[in-house]
């Protein structure tokens, strides 16, 4: 990976709209448990299964390429922490 980012999300009432990434690959590692915040769920758009919301316990990882459409649902409570490992084009 060519870039590492630690992200803290605490802005309630905001979401990340569906998009694709500039980076070739993105690995996301949640740094806190899903029961420490409400909303703020990663969601993928898939051809076969529609919207997919992966379970993301602290320390797990999701990996996707830059052609995969995804977003994050509205954060309604708490703080969400994540580690991002990105591969530049």
């Amino acid at each position: 990976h060519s870039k590492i980012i630690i992200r803290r999300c605490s802005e309630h009432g905001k979401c990340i709209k569906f998009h694709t990434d500039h980076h070739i690959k993105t690995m996301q590692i949640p740094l806190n448990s899903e029961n420490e915040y409400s909303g703020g769920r990663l969601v993928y758009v898939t051809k076969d299964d529609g919207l997919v919301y992966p379970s993301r316990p602290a320390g797990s990882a999701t990996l996707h390429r830059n052609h995969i459409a995804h977003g994050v649902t509205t954060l309604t409570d708490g703080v969400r922490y994540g580690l991002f490992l990105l591969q530049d084009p």
Side-chain angles (χ1 to χ4, degrees):
H1 293 84
S2 51
K3 189 181 288 186
I4 298 172
I5 297 171
I6 295 177
R7 182 176 288 166
R8 177 183 188 273
C9 297
S10 61
E11 196 167 348
H12 300 154
K14 300 285 183 170
C15 68
I16 298 174
K17 295 179 182 182
F18 287 111
H19 65 281
T20 56
D21 292 337
H22 168 74
H23 296 91
I24 294 172
K25 291 181 191 172
T26 300
M27 179 183 286
Q28 296 183 33
I29 301 169
L31 299 178
N32 61 329
S33 173
E34 291 179 302
N35 65 7
E36 295 179 42
Y37 56 89
S38 298
R41 297 209 44 208
L42 176 66
V43 56
Y44 291 111
V45 178
T46 70
K47 178 181 175 185
D48 296 329
D49 299 319
L51 299 179
V52 175
Y53 301 83
S55 175
R56 298 175 22 119
S60 65
T62 56
L63 176 66
H64 63 267
R65 293 188 171 273
N66 61 353
H67 66 278
I68 303 297
H70 61 285
V72 177
T73 65
T74 302
L75 184 66
T76 58
D77 189 49
V79 179
R80 181 177 177 255
Y81 295 93
L83 176 66
F84 292 75
L85 300 136
L86 310 168
Q87 181 180 350
D88 284 334

Coordinates of all heavy atoms in Angstrom, one line a residue:
H1 N 0.8 -1.2 0.0 CA 0.0 0.0 0.0 C 0.9 1.2 0.0 O 1.9 1.3 0.6 CB -0.9 0.0 1.2 CG -2.0 -1.1 1.1 ND1 -1.7 -2.4 1.5 CD2 -3.2 -1.1 0.6 CE1 -2.8 -3.2 1.2 NE2 -3.7 -2.4 0.7
S2 N 0.4 2.3 -0.6 CA 1.2 3.5 -0.8 C 0.8 4.6 0.1 O 1.4 5.6 0.3 CB 1.2 4.0 -2.2 OG -0.2 4.0 -2.7
K3 N -0.4 4.5 0.8 CA -0.9 5.5 1.7 C -1.6 4.8 2.8 O -2.4 3.9 2.6 CB -1.8 6.5 0.9 CG -2.2 7.7 1.7 CD -3.1 8.6 0.9 CE -2.3 9.3 -0.2 NZ -3.1 10.3 -0.9
I4 N -1.4 5.4 4.1 CA -2.1 4.9 5.2 C -2.8 6.1 5.9 O -2.2 7.1 6.1 CB -1.2 4.2 6.2 CG1 -0.5 3.0 5.6 CG2 -1.9 3.8 7.5 CD1 0.6 2.4 6.4
I5 N -4.1 6.0 6.2 CA -4.9 7.1 6.8 C -5.6 6.5 8.0 O -6.2 5.4 7.9 CB -5.9 7.6 5.8 CG1 -5.2 8.2 4.6 CG2 -6.8 8.7 6.4 CD1 -6.1 8.6 3.4
I6 N -5.6 7.3 9.1 CA -6.5 7.0 10.2 C -7.6 8.0 10.2 O -7.3 9.2 10.1 CB -5.7 7.0 11.6 CG1 -4.7 5.9 11.6 CG2 -6.7 6.9 12.7 CD1 -3.9 5.9 12.8
R7 N -8.8 7.5 10.2 CA -10.0 8.5 10.1 C -10.8 8.4 11.3 O -11.2 7.3 11.8 CB -10.8 8.1 8.9 CG -12.0 9.0 8.6 CD -12.7 8.7 7.4 NE -11.9 9.1 6.2 CZ -12.1 8.7 5.0 NH1 -13.1 7.9 4.7 NH2 -11.4 9.1 4.0
R8 N -11.2 9.6 11.8 CA -12.2 9.7 12.9 C -13.4 10.4 12.4 O -13.3 11.5 11.9 CB -11.5 10.5 14.1 CG -12.5 10.8 15.2 CD -11.8 11.7 16.3 NE -12.5 11.8 17.5 CZ -13.5 12.7 17.7 NH1 -13.8 13.6 16.8 NH2 -14.1 12.7 18.8
C9 N -14.5 9.7 12.5 CA -15.8 10.3 12.0 C -16.7 10.5 13.2 O -17.1 9.6 13.9 CB -16.5 9.4 11.0 SG -15.5 9.1 9.5
S10 N -17.1 11.8 13.4 CA -18.0 12.1 14.5 C -19.1 13.1 14.1 O -19.9 13.5 14.9 CB -17.2 12.7 15.7 OG -16.6 13.9 15.3
E11 N -19.2 13.4 12.8 CA -20.2 14.4 12.3 C -21.5 13.7 12.1 O -21.7 13.0 11.1 CB -19.7 15.0 11.0 CG -20.4 16.3 10.7 CD -19.7 17.1 9.6 OE1 -18.6 16.8 9.3 OE2 -20.4 18.0 9.1
H12 N -22.4 13.8 13.1 CA -23.7 13.2 13.0 C -24.6 13.8 11.9 O -24.5 15.0 11.7 CB -24.4 13.2 14.4 CG -23.6 12.6 15.4 ND1 -23.7 12.9 16.8 CD2 -22.7 11.6 15.4 CE1 -22.9 12.1 17.5 NE2 -22.2 11.3 16.6
G13 N -25.4 13.0 11.3 CA -26.3 13.5 10.3 C -25.7 13.6 8.9 O -26.3 14.0 8.0
K14 N -24.5 13.1 8.8 CA -23.8 13.1 7.5 C -23.5 11.6 7.0 O -23.4 10.7 7.8 CB -22.4 13.8 7.6 CG -22.5 15.2 8.0 CD -23.0 16.1 6.9 CE -23.0 17.5 7.4 NZ -23.2 18.5 6.4
C15 N -23.5 11.5 5.7 CA -23.2 10.2 5.1 C -22.2 10.4 4.0 O -21.8 11.5 3.7 CB -24.5 9.6 4.5 SG -25.1 10.5 3.0
I16 N -21.7 9.3 3.4 CA -20.8 9.4 2.3 C -21.5 8.8 1.1 O -21.9 7.6 1.2 CB -19.4 8.7 2.5 CG1 -18.7 9.3 3.7 CG2 -18.6 8.7 1.3 CD1 -17.4 8.6 4.1
K17 N -21.8 9.6 0.1 CA -22.6 9.2 -1.0 C -21.9 8.1 -1.8 O -20.7 7.9 -1.7 CB -22.9 10.3 -2.0 CG -23.8 11.4 -1.3 CD -24.0 12.6 -2.3 CE -24.9 13.6 -1.6 NZ -25.1 14.7 -2.5
F18 N -22.7 7.3 -2.6 CA -22.1 6.2 -3.4 C -21.1 6.8 -4.3 O -21.3 7.9 -4.9 CB -23.2 5.5 -4.2 CG -24.0 4.6 -3.3 CD1 -25.3 4.9 -3.1 CD2 -23.5 3.5 -2.7 CE1 -26.1 4.1 -2.3 CE2 -24.3 2.7 -1.9 CZ -25.6 3.0 -1.7
H19 N -19.9 6.1 -4.4 CA -18.8 6.6 -5.3 C -17.9 5.4 -5.6 O -18.1 4.3 -5.0 CB -18.0 7.7 -4.5 CG -17.3 7.2 -3.3 ND1 -18.0 7.0 -2.1 CD2 -16.1 6.8 -3.1 CE1 -17.2 6.5 -1.2 NE2 -16.0 6.4 -1.8
T20 N -17.0 5.6 -6.5 CA -15.8 4.7 -6.7 C -14.6 5.5 -6.3 O -14.6 6.7 -6.3 CB -15.8 4.2 -8.1 OG1 -15.7 5.3 -9.0 CG2 -17.0 3.4 -8.5
D21 N -13.5 4.7 -6.0 CA -12.3 5.3 -5.5 C -11.3 5.6 -6.6 O -11.3 5.0 -7.6 CB -11.6 4.4 -4.4 CG -12.4 4.3 -3.2 OD1 -13.2 5.2 -2.9 OD2 -12.2 3.3 -2.4
H22 N -10.4 6.6 -6.3 CA -9.3 6.9 -7.2 C -8.2 5.8 -7.0 O -7.6 5.4 -8.0 CB -8.8 8.3 -6.9 CG -7.5 8.6 -7.6 ND1 -7.3 8.8 -8.9 CD2 -6.2 8.6 -7.0 CE1 -6.1 9.0 -9.2 NE2 -5.4 8.9 -8.1
H23 N -8.0 5.4 -5.8 CA -7.0 4.4 -5.5 C -7.4 3.0 -6.1 O -8.6 2.7 -6.1 CB -6.8 4.3 -4.0 CG -6.2 5.5 -3.4 ND1 -7.1 6.5 -2.9 CD2 -5.0 6.0 -3.3 CE1 -6.3 7.5 -2.5 NE2 -5.1 7.2 -2.7
I24 N -6.4 2.3 -6.5 CA -6.6 0.9 -7.2 C -7.3 0.0 -6.2 O -8.2 -0.7 -6.5 CB -5.3 0.4 -7.7 CG1 -4.8 1.2 -8.9 CG2 -5.6 -1.1 -8.2 CD1 -3.5 0.8 -9.4
K25 N -6.8 -0.1 -4.9 CA -7.3 -0.9 -3.9 C -7.4 -0.1 -2.6 O -6.6 0.7 -2.3 CB -6.4 -2.1 -3.6 CG -6.3 -3.1 -4.7 CD -5.4 -4.2 -4.3 CE -5.0 -5.1 -5.5 NZ -4.0 -6.1 -5.1
T26 N -8.5 -0.4 -1.8 CA -8.7 0.2 -0.5 C -9.0 -0.9 0.5 O -9.9 -1.7 0.3 CB -9.9 1.1 -0.6 OG1 -9.6 2.2 -1.5 CG2 -10.1 1.8 0.8
M27 N -8.2 -1.0 1.5 CA -8.5 -1.9 2.7 C -8.9 -1.0 3.8 O -8.2 0.0 4.1 CB -7.3 -2.7 3.0 CG -7.5 -3.6 4.2 SD -6.1 -4.5 4.8 CE -6.0 -5.7 3.5
Q28 N -10.0 -1.3 4.4 CA -10.5 -0.6 5.6 C -10.5 -1.5 6.8 O -11.1 -2.7 6.7 CB -12.0 -0.1 5.4 CG -12.1 0.9 4.2 CD -13.6 1.3 4.1 OE1 -14.3 1.4 5.1 NE2 -14.0 1.6 2.9
I29 N -10.0 -1.1 7.9 CA -10.0 -1.8 9.2 C -10.7 -1.0 10.2 O -10.2 0.1 10.6 CB -8.5 -2.2 9.6 CG1 -7.9 -3.0 8.5 CG2 -8.5 -2.9 10.9 CD1 -6.4 -3.1 8.6
P30 N -11.8 -1.4 10.7 CA -12.5 -0.7 11.8 C -11.7 -0.8 13.1 O -11.2 -1.8 13.4 CB -13.9 -1.3 11.9 CG -14.0 -2.4 10.9 CD -12.6 -2.5 10.3
L31 N -11.5 0.3 13.7 CA -10.7 0.4 15.0 C -11.6 0.4 16.2 O -11.0 0.3 17.3 CB -9.8 1.6 15.0 CG -8.8 1.6 13.8 CD1 -8.0 2.9 13.9 CD2 -7.9 0.4 13.8
N32 N -12.9 0.5 16.1 CA -13.8 0.3 17.2 C -15.0 -0.5 16.8 O -15.3 -0.7 15.6 CB -14.1 1.7 17.8 CG -14.9 2.6 16.9 OD1 -14.7 2.6 15.7 ND2 -15.7 3.5 17.5
S33 N -15.7 -1.0 17.8 CA -16.8 -1.9 17.6 C -18.0 -1.1 17.1 O -18.3 0.0 17.4 CB -17.2 -2.5 19.0 OG -18.4 -3.3 18.9
E34 N -18.8 -1.9 16.3 CA -20.0 -1.3 15.7 C -21.1 -0.9 16.8 O -21.9 -0.1 16.5 CB -20.7 -2.3 14.7 CG -19.9 -2.5 13.5 CD -20.5 -3.5 12.5 OE1 -20.8 -4.7 12.9 OE2 -20.8 -3.1 11.4
N35 N -21.0 -1.4 18.0 CA -21.9 -1.0 19.0 C -21.5 0.2 19.7 O -22.2 0.7 20.6 CB -22.1 -2.2 20.0 CG -20.9 -2.5 20.8 OD1 -19.9 -1.9 20.8 ND2 -21.0 -3.6 21.6
E36 N -20.4 0.9 19.3 CA -19.9 2.1 19.9 C -20.5 3.3 19.1 O -20.2 4.5 19.5 CB -18.4 2.2 19.9 CG -17.8 1.1 20.9 CD -16.3 1.2 20.9 OE1 -15.7 2.3 20.9 OE2 -15.7 0.1 20.9
Y37 N -21.2 3.1 18.0 CA -21.8 4.2 17.2 C -23.0 3.6 16.5 O -23.2 2.4 16.4 CB -20.8 4.7 16.2 CG -20.2 3.7 15.3 CD1 -20.8 3.4 14.1 CD2 -19.0 3.1 15.6 CE1 -20.3 2.4 13.2 CE2 -18.5 2.1 14.7 CZ -19.1 1.8 13.6 OH -18.6 0.9 12.7
S38 N -23.9 4.5 16.1 CA -25.1 4.2 15.3 C -25.0 4.7 13.9 O -24.6 5.9 13.7 CB -26.3 4.7 16.0 OG -26.5 4.2 17.3
G39 N -25.4 3.9 12.9 CA -25.3 4.4 11.5 C -23.8 4.2 11.1 O -23.1 3.4 11.7
G40 N -23.4 5.0 10.1 CA -22.0 4.9 9.7 C -21.6 3.5 9.2 O -20.5 3.1 9.3
R41 N -22.5 2.8 8.5 CA -22.3 1.5 8.0 C -21.8 1.5 6.6 O -22.4 2.2 5.7 CB -23.5 0.6 8.1 CG -24.0 0.5 9.5 CD -24.7 -0.8 9.8 NE -24.1 -2.0 9.3 CZ -24.8 -3.1 9.0 NH1 -26.1 -3.1 9.2 NH2 -24.3 -4.1 8.5
L42 N -20.7 0.8 6.3 CA -20.2 0.7 4.9 C -21.3 -0.1 4.1 O -21.8 -1.1 4.6 CB -18.9 -0.1 4.9 CG -18.3 -0.5 3.6 CD1 -17.9 0.8 2.8 CD2 -17.1 -1.4 3.8
V43 N -21.5 0.3 2.9 CA -22.5 -0.4 2.0 C -21.9 -0.5 0.6 O -21.4 0.5 0.1 CB -23.9 0.3 2.0 CG1 -23.8 1.8 1.7 CG2 -24.9 -0.5 1.2
Y44 N -21.9 -1.7 0.0 CA -21.5 -1.9 -1.3 C -22.7 -2.1 -2.2 O -23.7 -2.6 -1.8 CB -20.7 -3.2 -1.4 CG -19.3 -3.1 -0.8 CD1 -19.1 -3.8 0.4 CD2 -18.3 -2.3 -1.3 CE1 -17.8 -3.8 1.0 CE2 -17.1 -2.3 -0.7 CZ -16.8 -3.0 0.4 OH -15.6 -2.9 1.0
V45 N -22.6 -1.6 -3.5 CA -23.6 -1.9 -4.5 C -23.1 -3.0 -5.3 O -22.0 -3.0 -5.9 CB -23.8 -0.6 -5.4 CG1 -24.8 -0.9 -6.5 CG2 -24.2 0.6 -4.6
T46 N -24.0 -4.1 -5.4 CA -23.6 -5.3 -6.2 C -24.6 -5.6 -7.2 O -25.8 -5.3 -7.0 CB -23.4 -6.5 -5.3 OG1 -24.7 -6.9 -4.8 CG2 -22.5 -6.2 -4.1
K47 N -24.2 -6.2 -8.3 CA -25.1 -6.6 -9.4 C -26.1 -7.7 -8.9 O -27.3 -7.7 -9.2 CB -24.3 -7.1 -10.6 CG -25.1 -7.5 -11.7 CD -24.3 -8.0 -12.9 CE -25.1 -8.5 -14.0 NZ -24.3 -9.1 -15.1
D48 N -25.6 -8.7 -8.2 CA -26.4 -9.9 -7.9 C -27.2 -9.7 -6.6 O -28.3 -10.2 -6.5 CB -25.5 -11.1 -7.8 CG -24.8 -11.5 -9.1 OD1 -25.5 -11.2 -10.2 OD2 -23.7 -12.0 -9.1
D49 N -26.6 -9.1 -5.6 CA -27.2 -9.0 -4.3 C -27.7 -7.6 -3.9 O -28.2 -7.5 -2.7 CB -26.2 -9.5 -3.2 CG -25.8 -10.9 -3.4 OD1 -26.6 -11.7 -3.8 OD2 -24.6 -11.2 -3.3
G50 N -27.7 -6.7 -4.8 CA -28.1 -5.3 -4.4 C -27.2 -4.7 -3.4 O -26.0 -4.8 -3.6
L51 N -27.8 -4.0 -2.4 CA -27.0 -3.4 -1.4 C -26.5 -4.4 -0.4 O -27.3 -5.2 0.2 CB -27.8 -2.3 -0.7 CG -28.3 -1.2 -1.6 CD1 -29.1 -0.2 -0.8 CD2 -27.1 -0.5 -2.3
V52 N -25.2 -4.4 -0.1 CA -24.6 -5.3 0.9 C -23.9 -4.5 2.0 O -23.1 -3.6 1.7 CB -23.6 -6.2 0.2 CG1 -22.9 -7.1 1.2 CG2 -24.3 -7.1 -0.9
Y53 N -24.3 -4.8 3.2 CA -23.7 -4.1 4.4 C -22.9 -5.2 5.2 O -23.4 -5.9 6.0 CB -24.9 -3.7 5.3 CG -25.8 -2.7 4.7 CD1 -26.9 -3.1 3.9 CD2 -25.7 -1.3 4.9 CE1 -27.8 -2.2 3.3 CE2 -26.6 -0.4 4.3 CZ -27.6 -0.9 3.5 OH -28.5 0.0 3.0
P54 N -21.6 -5.2 4.9 CA -20.7 -6.2 5.6 C -20.7 -5.9 7.1 O -20.6 -4.8 7.6 CB -19.4 -6.0 4.9 CG -19.4 -4.6 4.4 CD -20.8 -4.3 4.1
S55 N -20.6 -7.0 7.9 CA -20.4 -6.9 9.3 C -18.9 -6.5 9.5 O -18.1 -7.0 8.8 CB -20.7 -8.3 9.9 OG -20.3 -8.2 11.3
R56 N -18.7 -5.6 10.4 CA -17.3 -5.0 10.5 C -16.9 -4.9 12.0 O -16.8 -3.8 12.5 CB -17.2 -3.7 9.8 CG -17.5 -3.8 8.3 CD -17.5 -2.5 7.7 NE -16.8 -1.4 8.4 CZ -15.7 -0.8 7.9 NH1 -15.3 -1.0 6.7 NH2 -15.2 0.1 8.7
P57 N -16.7 -6.1 12.6 CA -16.2 -6.0 14.0 C -14.8 -5.3 14.0 O -14.0 -5.4 13.0 CB -16.1 -7.4 14.5 CG -16.3 -8.3 13.3 CD -16.8 -7.4 12.2
A58 N -14.4 -4.7 15.2 CA -13.1 -4.0 15.3 C -12.0 -5.0 14.9 O -12.0 -6.2 15.4 CB -13.0 -3.5 16.7
G59 N -11.1 -4.6 14.1 CA -9.9 -5.4 13.7 C -10.2 -6.2 12.5 O -9.2 -6.8 12.0
S60 N -11.4 -6.3 12.0 CA -11.7 -7.0 10.8 C -11.2 -6.2 9.6 O -10.8 -5.0 9.8 CB -13.2 -7.4 10.6 OG -13.9 -6.2 10.5
A61 N -11.3 -6.7 8.4 CA -10.9 -5.9 7.2 C -11.8 -6.1 6.0 O -12.4 -7.2 5.9 CB -9.5 -6.2 6.8
T62 N -12.1 -5.0 5.3 CA -12.8 -5.2 4.0 C -11.8 -4.7 3.0 O -11.0 -3.8 3.2 CB -14.1 -4.3 3.9 OG1 -13.8 -3.0 4.2 CG2 -15.1 -4.9 4.9
L63 N -11.8 -5.2 1.8 CA -10.9 -4.9 0.7 C -11.7 -4.8 -0.6 O -12.5 -5.6 -0.9 CB -9.8 -6.0 0.5 CG -8.8 -5.8 -0.6 CD1 -8.0 -4.6 -0.4 CD2 -8.0 -7.0 -0.7
H64 N -11.6 -3.7 -1.3 CA -12.2 -3.5 -2.6 C -11.4 -2.8 -3.6 O -10.5 -2.0 -3.2 CB -13.6 -2.8 -2.4 CG -13.5 -1.4 -1.9 ND1 -13.6 -1.1 -0.6 CD2 -13.4 -0.2 -2.6 CE1 -13.5 0.2 -0.5 NE2 -13.4 0.8 -1.7
R65 N -11.7 -3.0 -4.8 CA -11.0 -2.3 -5.9 C -11.7 -1.0 -6.3 O -12.8 -0.8 -5.9 CB -10.9 -3.3 -7.1 CG -10.0 -4.4 -6.9 CD -9.7 -5.2 -8.1 NE -8.7 -6.2 -8.0 CZ -7.4 -6.0 -8.1 NH1 -7.0 -4.8 -8.4 NH2 -6.5 -7.0 -7.9
N66 N -11.1 -0.2 -7.1 CA -11.7 1.1 -7.4 C -12.9 1.1 -8.3 O -13.5 2.1 -8.5 CB -10.6 2.0 -8.0 CG -10.0 1.5 -9.3 OD1 -10.3 0.4 -9.8 ND2 -9.2 2.4 -9.9
H67 N -13.3 0.0 -8.9 CA -14.5 0.0 -9.7 C -15.8 -0.4 -8.9 O -16.9 -0.4 -9.5 CB -14.3 -1.0 -10.9 CG -14.2 -2.4 -10.5 ND1 -13.0 -3.0 -10.1 CD2 -15.1 -3.4 -10.5 CE1 -13.2 -4.2 -9.8 NE2 -14.5 -4.5 -10.0
I68 N -15.6 -0.7 -7.6 CA -16.7 -1.1 -6.8 C -17.4 0.1 -6.2 O -16.8 0.9 -5.5 CB -16.2 -2.0 -5.6 CG1 -15.5 -3.2 -6.2 CG2 -17.4 -2.4 -4.7 CD1 -16.3 -4.2 -7.0
A69 N -18.7 0.3 -6.5 CA -19.4 1.4 -5.9 C -19.8 1.1 -4.4 O -20.2 0.0 -4.1 CB -20.7 1.7 -6.7
H70 N -19.6 2.1 -3.6 CA -19.8 2.0 -2.2 C -20.1 3.3 -1.5 O -19.8 4.4 -2.2 CB -18.6 1.3 -1.5 CG -17.3 2.1 -1.6 ND1 -16.6 2.1 -2.8 CD2 -16.7 2.9 -0.8 CE1 -15.5 2.9 -2.6 NE2 -15.6 3.4 -1.4
G71 N -20.5 3.3 -0.3 CA -20.8 4.5 0.4 C -20.9 4.2 1.9 O -20.6 3.1 2.3
V72 N -21.3 5.2 2.7 CA -21.4 5.0 4.2 C -22.7 5.6 4.6 O -23.0 6.8 4.2 CB -20.2 5.6 4.9 CG1 -20.4 5.4 6.4 CG2 -18.9 5.0 4.5
T73 N -23.5 4.9 5.3 CA -24.8 5.4 5.8 C -24.6 6.5 6.8 O -23.5 6.7 7.3 CB -25.7 4.3 6.4 OG1 -25.0 3.8 7.6 CG2 -25.9 3.1 5.5
T74 N -25.7 7.3 7.0 CA -25.6 8.4 7.9 C -25.2 8.0 9.4 O -25.8 7.1 9.9 CB -27.0 9.1 8.0 OG1 -27.4 9.5 6.6 CG2 -27.0 10.3 8.9
L75 N -24.2 8.7 9.9 CA -23.8 8.5 11.3 C -24.8 9.2 12.2 O -25.0 10.4 12.0 CB -22.4 9.0 11.5 CG -21.8 8.7 12.8 CD1 -21.6 7.2 13.1 CD2 -20.4 9.4 13.0
T76 N -25.4 8.5 13.1 CA -26.4 9.2 13.9 C -26.0 9.4 15.4 O -26.5 10.2 16.1 CB -27.7 8.4 13.9 OG1 -27.5 7.1 14.3 CG2 -28.3 8.4 12.5
D77 N -25.0 8.6 15.8 CA -24.5 8.7 17.2 C -23.2 8.1 17.4 O -22.8 7.1 16.6 CB -25.5 7.9 18.1 CG -25.3 8.2 19.6 OD1 -25.1 9.4 20.0 OD2 -25.2 7.2 20.4
G78 N -22.4 8.6 18.3 CA -21.1 8.0 18.6 C -20.0 8.5 17.6 O -20.2 9.4 16.8
V79 N -18.8 7.8 17.7 CA -17.7 8.1 16.9 C -17.2 6.9 16.3 O -17.1 5.8 16.9 CB -16.5 8.8 17.8 CG1 -15.3 9.1 16.9 CG2 -17.0 10.0 18.5
R80 N -16.8 6.9 15.0 CA -16.3 5.8 14.2 C -14.9 6.0 13.9 O -14.5 7.1 13.4 CB -17.2 5.7 13.0 CG -16.9 4.6 12.0 CD -18.0 4.7 10.9 NE -17.8 3.7 9.9 CZ -17.3 4.0 8.7 NH1 -16.9 5.2 8.4 NH2 -17.1 3.0 7.8
Y81 N -14.0 5.0 14.2 CA -12.6 5.1 13.8 C -12.2 4.1 12.8 O -12.7 2.9 12.9 CB -11.8 4.9 15.1 CG -11.9 6.0 16.2 CD1 -12.9 5.8 17.2 CD2 -11.2 7.1 16.1 CE1 -13.0 6.8 18.2 CE2 -11.3 8.1 17.1 CZ -12.3 7.9 18.1 OH -12.4 8.9 19.1
G82 N -11.4 4.4 11.8 CA -11.0 3.5 10.8 C -9.6 3.7 10.4 O -9.1 4.8 10.4
L83 N -9.0 2.6 10.0 CA -7.6 2.6 9.4 C -7.8 2.3 7.9 O -8.5 1.3 7.6 CB -6.7 1.6 10.1 CG -5.3 1.4 9.5 CD1 -4.5 2.7 9.7 CD2 -4.7 0.2 10.2
F84 N -7.2 3.1 7.0 CA -7.4 2.9 5.6 C -6.0 2.6 5.0 O -5.1 3.4 5.2 CB -8.0 4.1 4.9 CG -9.4 4.3 5.3 CD1 -9.8 4.8 6.5 CD2 -10.4 3.9 4.4 CE1 -11.1 4.9 6.8 CE2 -11.8 4.1 4.7 CZ -12.1 4.6 5.9
L85 N -5.8 1.6 4.2 CA -4.6 1.3 3.5 C -4.9 1.4 2.0 O -5.8 0.7 1.5 CB -4.1 -0.1 3.9 CG -3.8 -0.2 5.4 CD1 -4.3 -1.5 5.9 CD2 -2.3 -0.1 5.6
L86 N -4.3 2.3 1.3 CA -4.6 2.6 -0.1 C -3.5 2.3 -1.0 O -2.3 2.6 -0.7 CB -5.0 4.1 -0.2 CG -6.0 4.6 0.9 CD1 -6.1 6.1 0.9 CD2 -7.4 4.0 0.6
Q87 N -3.8 1.8 -2.2 CA -2.8 1.6 -3.2 C -3.0 2.6 -4.4 O -4.1 2.6 -5.0 CB -2.9 0.2 -3.8 CG -1.8 -0.2 -4.8 CD -1.9 -1.6 -5.3 OE1 -2.6 -2.4 -4.8 NE2 -1.2 -1.8 -6.4
D88 N -2.0 3.4 -4.6 CA -2.1 4.4 -5.7 C -2.1 3.8 -7.1 O -1.6 2.7 -7.2 CB -0.9 5.4 -5.6 CG -1.1 6.4 -4.5 OD1 -2.2 6.7 -4.1 OD2 -0.1 6.9 -4.1
P89 N -2.7 4.4 -8.0 CA -2.7 3.9 -9.4 C -1.3 3.9 -10.0 O -0.4 4.6 -9.5 CB -3.6 4.9 -10.2 CG -4.2 5.8 -9.2 CD -3.5 5.6 -7.9

